[in-house]
Amino acid sequence: MPSAPPPLPSALPRHVAIIMDGNGRWAQQRRRPRMIGHRAGARAVNRTIDRCLELGIPALTLFAFSSENWGRPDDEVQALMKLFLHALDREVDELHRRGVRVRFIGERERFGASLVSRMQLAEQRTVDNTAMTLSIAASYGGRQDIARAARTLAQEVAAGRLLPEQIDEDLLGSHVALADIPAPDLFIRTGGDTRISNFLLWQLAYTELWFTDVLWPDFDTDQLQRALDTYAGRERRFGLTSAQIAALATETSSP
Ligand code: IPE
Ligand code: IPE
Ligand code: MG
């Protein structure tokens, strides 16, 4: 099967995905408990959402809590759950007012009932909003995401509704998280580590990656602009040659 054509080159990403890392170290540098860093991180989340809305970026996905983060000390996990709960109570009205559609990806059943119902409410309330799709990855793991998609397809095969030979990239890709929006164009990771940490493994196949040493609580509009500028200057080839990409660009820009 031929692979999908490369998306039209655009200076502004249609979808930005961020690993917001470095909250703990930010607090430790100040000799404060890690939780202070997570709180400062929540302020950086607001700044980033505001800026993406101003810029007209249609989709933003934030890695808030990984499936592996459950292994952190109990007191940190509990405090993070409290922070998520408060942030949802505090922010959803404003996000709704600004036309943001809020969604959660990940194994939400692992959260407590009060958090799960808050997530559902936020999703239901904002479902028709179109200014931006904000996806929060919580209890999310890329491997778990792919495994879950594979399980769904296996169930279809077992029920006789699908043939194994009908399973291809498009079908599997339509069962992973965020399948209804374009894959991320730009990935940002703060905190100085240059790894994916089990974020959107499938979805990041051709995403442009950008890393910064800046710790997440210090991430601001200047930092975001640096990432966007770097992105705008990248040549995305999707396996083709530079010449082919240049020819495609002229084709699509000619009347
Ligand atoms: C990211 O910051 C937030 C979560 C994983 C919840 P960290 O808590 O990982 O901060 P560092 O990496 O320890 O500094
Ligand atoms: C990735 O950060 C997960 C989130 C930001 C939510 P981690 O701090 O968990 O990643 P590692 O452990 O450095 O790979
Ligand atoms: Mg970290």
Side-chain angles (χ1 to χ4, degrees):
M1 195 195 57
S3 54
L8 296 179
S10 157
L12 199 65
R14 293 160 304 174
H15 182 179
V16 177
I18 309 183
I19 297 189
M20 313 181 289
D21 196 25
N23 294 349
R25 280 164 286 163
W26 187 90
Q28 276 156 1
Q29 284 175 358
R30 287 160 178 75
R31 302 187 193 291
R32 305 294 306 277
R34 292 175 58 85
M35 221 32 229
I36 298 292
H38 293 311
R39 278 192 212 125
R43 294 193 287 277
V45 168
N46 289 341
R47 281 200 295 275
T48 305
I49 295 171
D50 286 352
R51 189 65 186 143
C52 288
L53 270 167
E54 280 167 16
L55 290 168
I57 292 172
L60 175 67
T61 299
L62 301 175
F63 204 3
F65 193 81
S66 74
S67 29
E68 289 74 28
N69 290 150
W70 288 111
R72 291 193 178 191
D74 269 355
D75 57 341
E76 182 166 341
V77 172
Q78 288 318 314
L80 275 168
M81 296 304 130
K82 250 199 201 150
L83 179 71
F84 294 155
L85 210 60
H86 287 152
L88 274 174
D89 284 345
R90 218 178 32 234
E91 306 300 340
V92 172
D93 280 350
E94 179 63 11
L95 290 170
H96 183 45
R97 200 185 60 73
R98 300 183 72 182
V100 177
R101 177 179 182 196
V102 183
R103 311 191 306 184
F104 297 88
I105 59 168
E107 290 188 323
R108 76 174 68 185
E109 51 282 7
R110 291 185 71 177
F111 291 113
S114 49
L115 205 44
V116 172
S117 71
R118 266 4 173 261
M119 287 170 158
Q120 255 159 16
L121 271 175
E123 287 179 334
Q124 284 163 3
R125 245 185 103 195
T126 62
V127 69
D128 293 322
N129 292 344
T130 54
M132 180 170 91
T133 299
L134 172 67
S135 306
I136 309 282
S139 190
Y140 176 86
R143 289 175 174 175
Q144 156 231 104
D145 187 2
I146 296 168
R148 192 181 268 209
R151 193 184 315 133
T152 305
L153 295 182
Q155 282 161 348
E156 291 294 297
V157 171
R161 291 190 289 266
L162 184 71
L163 296 169
E165 49 274 29
Q166 290 176 299
I167 299 177
D168 59 14
E169 288 180 27
D170 285 345
L171 191 65
L172 187 59
S174 70
H175 285 78
V176 296
L178 309 179
D180 59 330
I181 57 174
D185 291 313
L186 172 64
F187 159 100
I188 296 174
R189 182 177 184 139
T190 62
D193 289 305
T194 46
R195 54 177 172 258
I196 303 289
S197 298
N198 200 17
F199 196 25
L200 304 162
L201 297 180
W202 178 279
Q203 299 83 343
L204 292 177
Y206 266 107
T207 302
E208 294 297 322
L209 309 181
W210 189 82
F211 297 92
T212 175
D213 288 338
V214 167
L215 303 174
W216 176 251
D218 290 328
F219 190 79
D220 59 13
T221 53
D222 285 351
Q223 281 294 312
L224 179 62
Q225 198 52 53
R226 281 187 52 198
L228 293 171
D229 290 345
T230 307
Y231 170 79
R234 298 249 181 109
E235 182 189 54
R236 305 183 73 187
R237 289 189 294 279
F238 300 93
L240 307 185
T241 66
S242 267
Q244 286 176 297
I245 294 296
L248 274 171
T250 350
E251 251 171 55
T252 49
S253 66
S254 59

